[in-house]
Amino acid sequence: MEPGAAIAKSLRHPAAVLAAAAVLLLAALALAAGRTPAQALSNGLALTPPMGWNDWNAYGCNVSESVVEQTAQYMASSGMKAAGYDYVNIDDCWLKPQRDASGNLVADPTKFPDGIAAVAAYVHALGLKLGIYEDDGTATCAGFPGSLGHEQQDANTFAAWGIDYLKYDNCNNNGNIEQSDQAMRDALAATGRPILFSLSEWGQNNVWTWGAQTANMWRTTGDISASFSSMLANFHANVQLAQYAGPGAWNDPDMLEIGNGMTTTQDESEFSLWAEMAAPLIAGTNLRTASATTMSTLLNQNVIAVDQDPLGKQGTEVSSSGGLDVLAKPLQGGAVAVVLFNENNSAATISTTAAAVGLPAAASYTLSDLWANTTTSTAGPISANVPANAVVMYRVTPAGVASTPTPTPSPTPTATPTRTPSPTPTPSPSPTSSTGGAALACTVTYSTQSQWAGGFVANVIVANAGTAGVNGWTLGFTFPGDQKVTTAWNATVAQSGASVTVASLGYDSVISPGASISFGFQGTWNASDVAPTSFRLNGTACT
Ligand code: GLA
């Protein structure tokens, strides 16, 4: 037995299988998200672009239990989890070449000696979620058993193991791709477990036109590689498709290649462009050996906040000519994220204006440089000398708009990951609170989305009903029953007895007047599952 196997075993628990179908209130979710694209898949997941890690770009077929668990451990200890990276995703090559006698998928026992349910338990104990890979054909791209014709059986297996995310690939299928993918969508829904559905359609079959009804994200391009030209090709294809993306449904220009061979400048450009396009941020490097520079790129909270902006708008091209691009992404609260991108191999000045990026007339605009962490002011012109292959990325806020997120310093990465998981996720420190002196007013909507004997999934929407922005928030409440939170998403949840404290993960720490944030959690109960009613936002009672 390898060194980590005993630890993994000790954490194993029966995977949670939801016994009741999830009842997801689309209207409430649309309220939380600002908007939802027409006919979006109503599984309530990925209201902001998914964030996480996947082994494929760094390891290819050499995935294993130890790689996945060590990476999960590092994500929890390095600041990645706190920054919002919560999915740990296994790609192709995890399977045995044959199904078992009952037709069930079986993990390769050499690579995953404790099985996938044990890995899921390990990852969940760290407060993270586990993703897995399958294919809509007879075999995966690497030749392992595919899910075609086994959709419900495989979805049931994934739910029983505690899987939270499925990447569904496009090899060896019979051409009826849309129907096959929808069969898996329906099979996942029938399990009752919230499982994010990610299509790997490589931009074929105009997947963006039917992606939102089928999945939470869909690949718009072929496979990325760790080169500037590959990254550029995927950017150019994906940036045209903004109209199809929104909360719950995202264009996916493929996983990040940051740390895999491009220059630091090119890595920063990829991160900025992906965030500007509201793309999933799935790190694809060997995190266990990643440099401090790679980690600080992946942990730029200013840029992550643009990606995770709750309005969920994909940025669009304002201009693109001669390798010089201007992109604009409207943000919740009235600011716009602007990227000035120089594709060329020599420095160039790139210019636009506040009006051209869609901002209303104002006496002045604040330009927050999201990489340099500096702030300047302009009457309208937005211009910078941009080095070769680089971006300059600004959050542009018109005078009169209440708040901009405070840049959060990147956490220092931990140099040496260990295999010992922390069974109790450590809550992030509470952000400081400010409403600029105005009275705080808030409303909270708590909805139980799914409930079964002994367990439940809840969604919470916190709206700022006051006149000033809430800059940093914690929400307190008390369970009237004996509920215990086991997993949370989009926030950090700490529980002591019946008393619960929820804190922002950082990317949504500012709640503008009239705006709302949402988070959710899964938990257990024994005698009583009564919804809490008394909520306190930064100590003030909400209605
Ligand atoms: C396809 C996908 C990749 C990866 C491999 C695995 O090429 O597009 O992202 O999943 O299959 O075989």
Side-chain angles (χ1 to χ4, degrees):
M1 184 181 290
E2 61 181 287
I7 296 162
K9 273 201 165 71
S10 71
L11 284 165
R12 195 180 307 183
H13 62 72
V17 182
L18 309 191
V23 180
L24 299 171
L25 302 177
L26 191 56
L29 295 169
L31 176 70
R35 74 182 179 90
T36 300
Q39 297 181 295
L41 175 66
S42 56
N43 67 0
L45 300 172
L47 297 181
T48 59
M51 294 176 66
W53 171 88
N54 173 297
D55 65 79
W56 181 256
N57 287 353
Y59 297 87
C61 254
N62 294 321
V63 65
S64 67
E65 180 174 311
S66 56
V67 163
V68 173
E69 292 183 354
Q70 286 177 19
T71 302
Q73 172 62 42
Y74 184 68
M75 287 168 72
S77 63
S78 63
M80 286 200 77
K81 176 184 144 190
Y85 293 89
D86 55 357
Y87 287 104
V88 185
N89 293 349
I90 300 169
D91 208 282
D92 204 351
C93 307
W94 62 272
L95 279 159
K96 257 179 106 164
Q98 309 294 337
R99 291 174 179 268
D100 72 11
S102 311
N104 293 311
L105 295 171
V106 184
D108 181 327
T110 312
K111 292 174 176 166
F112 291 88
D114 294 299
I116 303 296
V119 177
Y122 185 103
V123 166
H124 291 162
L126 291 166
L128 296 163
K129 299 181 234 176
L130 187 68
I132 208 154
Y133 165 101
E134 247 299 354
D135 186 279
D136 62 16
T138 53
T140 72
C141 294
F144 295 91
S147 285
L148 184 66
H150 294 267
E151 287 85 359
Q152 195 61 61
Q153 183 176 16
D154 294 350
N156 292 347
T157 299
F158 297 147
W161 285 344
I163 294 295
D164 305 295
Y165 179 125
L166 175 63
K167 171 175 172 179
Y168 208 42
D169 215 346
N170 194 32
C171 277
N172 307 305
N173 53 44
N174 61 8
N176 297 324
I177 295 162
E178 188 175 344
Q179 288 97 313
S180 302
D181 291 349
Q182 290 178 350
M184 182 52 91
R185 169 199 66 187
D186 296 342
L188 292 173
T191 69
R193 184 175 175 83
I195 300 179
L196 190 153
F197 193 30
S198 162
L199 294 182
S200 180
E201 288 298 347
W202 317 329
Q204 294 181 351
N205 304 298
N206 294 324
V207 61
W208 40 87
T209 62
W210 50 274
Q213 302 152 41
T214 309
N216 298 108
M217 54 191 270
W218 51 88
R219 285 269 301 279
T220 57
T221 69
D223 285 9
I224 198 165
S225 60
S227 73
F228 189 61
S229 59
S230 168
M231 188 276 281
L232 213 47
N234 284 15
F235 155 64
H236 279 299
N238 193 73
V239 76
Q240 309 302 331
L241 301 169
Q243 72 187 96
Y244 301 104
W250 309 102
N251 290 311
D252 175 16
D254 207 357
M255 301 172 290
L256 298 167
E257 289 285 12
I258 291 160
N260 288 347
M262 290 191 291
T263 66
T264 300
T265 298
Q266 294 167 344
D267 279 351
E268 289 177 357
S269 293
E270 183 185 32
F271 201 59
S272 303
L273 294 167
W274 264 230
E276 186 78 356
M277 296 190 294
L281 298 179
I282 307 295
T285 196
N286 179 343
L287 291 175
R288 300 175 302 167
T289 57
S291 68
T293 307
T294 292
M295 292 309 293
S296 82
T297 301
L298 290 169
L299 290 171
N300 183 324
Q301 292 278 28
N302 301 325
V303 177
I304 291 171
V306 170
D307 182 74
Q308 295 292 302
D309 184 77
L311 200 55
K313 292 228 185 231
Q314 177 173 330
T316 53
E317 280 175 345
V318 174
S319 61
S320 177
S321 158
L324 306 179
D325 308 301
V326 176
L327 307 174
K329 180 185 198 283
L331 303 174
Q332 190 169 66
V336 172
V338 174
V339 167
L340 310 176
F341 176 38
N342 180 3
E343 302 177 19
N344 300 328
N345 291 330
S346 55
T349 297
I350 305 180
S351 303
T352 186
T353 64
V357 301
L359 283 159
S364 67
Y365 304 85
T366 303
L367 299 179
S368 308
D369 184 319
L370 303 187
W371 287 101
N373 267 325
T374 54
T375 299
T376 51
S377 165
T378 176
I382 300 167
S383 184
N385 187 263
V386 187
N389 297 174
V391 298
V392 168
M393 187 169 188
Y394 294 122
R395 176 183 283 263
V396 187
T397 311
V401 164
S403 59
T404 55
T406 311
T408 313
S410 299
T412 312
T414 311
T416 315
T418 72
R419 292 257 305 155
T420 313
S422 338
T424 311
T426 314
S428 306
S430 301
T432 52
S433 164
S434 160
T435 55
L440 192 160
C442 46
T443 58
V444 172
T445 311
Y446 180 100
S447 54
T448 303
Q449 299 195 330
S450 178
Q451 191 186 46
W452 60 99
F456 70 105
V457 172
N459 189 60
V460 183
I461 301 168
V462 184
N464 179 357
T467 53
V470 176
N471 188 4
W473 59 267
T474 53
L475 185 78
F477 63 86
T478 306
F479 279 124
D482 58 3
Q483 299 98 327
K484 290 257 173 306
V485 174
T486 51
T487 316
W489 42 96
N490 297 341
T492 301
V493 176
Q495 184 168 1
S496 169
S499 170
V500 178
T501 306
V502 186
S504 159
L505 284 173
Y507 59 81
D508 61 356
S509 66
V510 176
I511 318 177
S512 303
S516 56
I517 57 88
S518 69
F519 62 89
F521 49 82
Q522 182 168 337
T524 60
W525 57 279
N526 291 315
S528 164
D529 184 25
V530 182
T533 48
S534 304
F535 294 91
R536 298 167 309 280
L537 183 64
N538 293 347
T540 299
C542 301
T543 54

